[in-house]
Amino acid sequence: MWVWFHKLGSPRHFYRISGRLLPWLTALAVGLLAVGLAWGLVFSPPDYQQGETVRIMYIHVPAAVMSMVVYAVMAAAGFVYLVWRIKLADLVAAASAPVGAWFTVLALVTGSLWGKPMWGTWWAWDARLTAELILLFLYLGYMALYNAIEDRRSAGRAAAVLALVGVVNLPIIHYSVEWWYTLHQGPTTRGMRIAGTVHPDMRYPLLTMMLAFGVYYAAVLLKRTRCLVLETERDSAWVRELVKTT
Amino acid sequence: MWRAMVSVVKRDLLLAVRHRSELVNPLLFFLIVVSLFPLSLEPDPRMLATIGGGVIWVAALLAGMLALDAMFRPDFEDGTLEQLVLSPQPVAALALAKVFAHWLVSGLPLMLMAPLLGVLMNLPGEAMLALLATLAVGTPVISLVGAIGVALTVGLRRSGVLLSLLVLPLYIPVLIFGAAAAGDAAAGQSIAGPVLFIGAMLVLALTLAPLAIGAALRISLE
């Protein structure tokens, strides 16, 4: 187990193993997305109050959840890099940032589209919306800092410190709807178990979409990390050999 | 360790007193930004009183952020920072001392100047007290959190805009509670809630920020 884990930490073995995993993950993500989208957008029942607009939920909730999960992954990878200096962890963190930023944008945009028919406004300065916006700024700041420092090693470490400082924001987003009295509704999801408030006809397509987004993130993360591995290891023997043979 | 911290504070204060003009600039900026608002909006006293607390808080944030660069950059350029990091004392403690000295010459004057600007903005007396109370607990948070940003970017040549990108999102919670307190006080409500919330942030920043500053300084000096 540990040997396997250590092997995964080396860029070369990671490249080999991820290359084998990637087609499966991609197929799984596409399949789950197709099933989830069809189930959520076409076959699930409309809400008795919100009508058809409730279908935005099947994109909005998974995107919002992923925006936080990705940040957590990024910060955890940054922590691993700071403490154990595992190069791969830095690449994972760097590869996560743009994906997480796009999940955040998606959550904000779909939330805004949902807010217009439901709350009558595109945007409200409510606690959860503001916290999610701050999360987007944190992602952008992370990427800006990463790109501003020329030396790759210190860029990764500086960005990791910033990511860890920003972790403070995650609980604020998560509990914002419970701490403050706001426009945004209370939590519908608690981890993987959805509180009994959502009817099974909507719960299962939502869970499918959440799983689909998670697998999609895993697939994209592997792909992006593989590219970064090739880029940073471009002078090593195994990459040269790889380029020669393909 | 305590003596090292005291001597760092003494040294930084002495340097600050010798460069008085640098101390005054953020304060002038603070004054000018606040005075832009009545000029650009209608100088209606009632409206100024309602937005005054928030405007002063935003201006204080910006002025505090402009002053940040002076915290580590001169020391970085003349090599003092490297000596501090190499010294046998814990970097986090020395960083905390530097932040404290910086707060004394930047955060504290901002706070003391706020009532004057409150008069310009036509703030009622209770709102003025709330503003002072929130700035008293809020400006140290600004200095501490900002120091992390400066420590991360001090090695870069042009870091001004980048610094604001990194630091401003982290300031938003302080701003929300600080500005809310002034509004609450003007409406005759208790301001204990927001002040305690910022106080909690201050405690969190006091315990964790020095560690982050220390780590960031080590990275920047590599």
Side-chain angles (χ1 to χ4, degrees):
Chain A
M1 168 71 195
W2 279 109
V3 177
W4 184 82
F5 196 72
H6 276 290
K7 268 188 171 178
L8 197 62
S10 95
R12 183 176 175 183
H13 286 281
F14 168 82
Y15 191 83
R16 204 169 45 81
I17 295 168
S18 64
R20 246 184 259 157
L21 275 175
L22 193 55
W24 297 99
L25 277 178
T26 314
L28 190 62
V30 171
L32 278 173
L33 267 179
V35 172
L37 279 177
W39 199 355
L41 296 187
V42 184
F43 297 111
S44 73
D47 189 71
Y48 80 100
Q49 255 184 339
Q50 306 194 352
E52 302 288 344
T53 47
V54 76
R55 297 185 196 286
I56 297 175
M57 173 180 78
Y58 300 112
I59 310 282
H60 174 72
V61 173
V65 171
M66 286 312 292
S67 69
M68 289 193 279
V69 169
V70 174
Y71 195 90
V73 169
M74 195 174 91
F79 182 75
V80 168
Y81 182 55
L82 276 181
V83 177
W84 290 290
R85 306 282 165 92
I86 299 176
K87 241 191 287 173
L88 195 63
D90 174 43
L91 299 181
V92 166
S96 291
V99 189
W102 276 118
F103 275 130
T104 316
V105 169
L106 190 62
L108 285 171
V109 169
T110 52
S112 166
L113 290 175
W114 201 2
K116 186 61 185 168
M118 287 305 113
W119 304 339
T121 169
W122 296 109
W123 184 263
W125 286 104
D126 125 307
R128 180 164 264 191
L129 276 68
T130 314
E132 187 77 9
L133 190 65
I134 299 178
L135 184 65
L136 180 62
F137 293 157
L138 287 176
Y139 274 122
L140 296 179
Y142 178 91
M143 290 191 276
L145 182 63
Y146 212 109
N147 292 328
I149 303 180
E150 282 184 13
D151 176 37
R152 206 191 152 86
R153 274 180 46 240
S154 49
R157 292 172 60 205
V161 170
L162 184 69
L164 286 173
V165 173
V167 166
V168 180
N169 192 38
L170 287 187
I172 298 183
I173 302 180
H174 191 74
Y175 293 109
S176 58
V177 282
E178 294 176 23
W179 289 348
W180 288 286
Y181 180 75
T182 68
L183 208 53
H184 199 286
Q185 61 174 334
T188 44
T189 57
R190 286 175 190 278
M192 272 292 103
R193 167 177 74 87
I194 293 193
T197 51
V198 181
H199 190 268
D201 284 350
M202 295 182 177
R203 193 191 307 166
Y204 293 118
L206 182 58
L207 273 181
T208 313
M209 280 306 282
M210 280 161 88
L211 200 59
F213 270 50
V215 177
Y216 167 80
Y217 164 58
V220 173
L221 178 64
L222 281 191
K223 185 84 191 162
R224 293 186 65 96
T225 312
R226 278 163 65 84
C227 293
L228 287 176
V229 165
L230 285 186
E231 207 180 304
T232 47
E233 301 283 311
R234 59 178 173 264
D235 292 330
S236 66
W238 68 270
V239 174
R240 289 200 177 157
E241 217 165 281
L242 196 78
V243 173
K244 229 179 271 169
T245 52
T246 46
Chain B
M1 186 177 93
W2 186 246
R3 273 183 38 221
M5 285 173 76
V6 171
S7 62
V8 167
V9 172
K10 268 189 196 154
R11 168 187 173 272
D12 278 12
L13 287 181
L14 190 66
L15 273 175
V17 173
R18 299 268 160 86
H19 296 92
R20 263 173 236 119
S21 65
E22 279 177 30
L23 289 183
V24 180
N25 288 346
L27 294 177
L28 285 179
F29 177 82
F30 187 34
L31 177 67
I32 293 172
V33 168
V34 170
S35 63
L36 286 180
F37 280 85
L39 297 178
S40 62
L41 308 164
E42 254 175 284
D44 166 32
R46 285 225 319 278
M47 189 193 60
L48 285 185
T50 44
I51 64 167
V55 166
I56 293 176
W57 250 100
V58 170
L61 274 192
L62 294 177
M65 202 187 67
L66 277 185
L68 281 177
D69 214 36
M71 192 172 341
F72 293 130
R73 184 164 299 273
D75 289 346
F76 176 76
E77 277 163 2
D78 65 13
T80 317
L81 204 56
E82 207 149 25
Q83 297 305 320
L84 282 180
V85 171
L86 287 175
S87 80
Q89 310 294 339
V91 186
L94 298 180
L96 184 62
K98 279 194 80 69
V99 174
F100 177 66
H102 183 262
W103 176 77
L104 281 182
V105 295
S106 70
L108 196 62
L110 282 181
M111 192 185 105
L112 296 178
M113 212 172 127
L116 175 68
L117 296 174
V119 174
L120 284 182
M121 294 301 278
N122 216 12
L123 279 186
E126 309 87 60
M128 207 98 93
L129 275 180
L131 192 67
L132 261 181
T134 50
L135 280 174
V137 281
T139 44
V141 182
I142 295 179
S143 294
L144 280 164
V145 173
I148 304 175
V150 185
L152 283 173
T153 56
V154 74
L156 304 174
R157 235 165 295 138
R158 266 169 300 176
S159 56
V161 185
L162 183 64
L163 179 64
S164 57
L165 257 181
L166 302 186
V167 162
L168 282 180
L170 299 171
Y171 283 167
I172 294 175
V174 186
L175 174 71
I176 291 175
F177 288 110
D184 283 357
Q189 287 166 352
S190 154
I191 57 158
V195 171
L196 287 178
F197 239 109
I198 303 180
M201 289 183 216
L202 175 58
V203 172
L204 187 71
L206 260 180
T207 43
L208 293 180
L211 299 175
I213 301 168
L217 282 179
R218 282 181 194 280
I219 294 167
S220 284
L221 286 169
E222 252 176 23

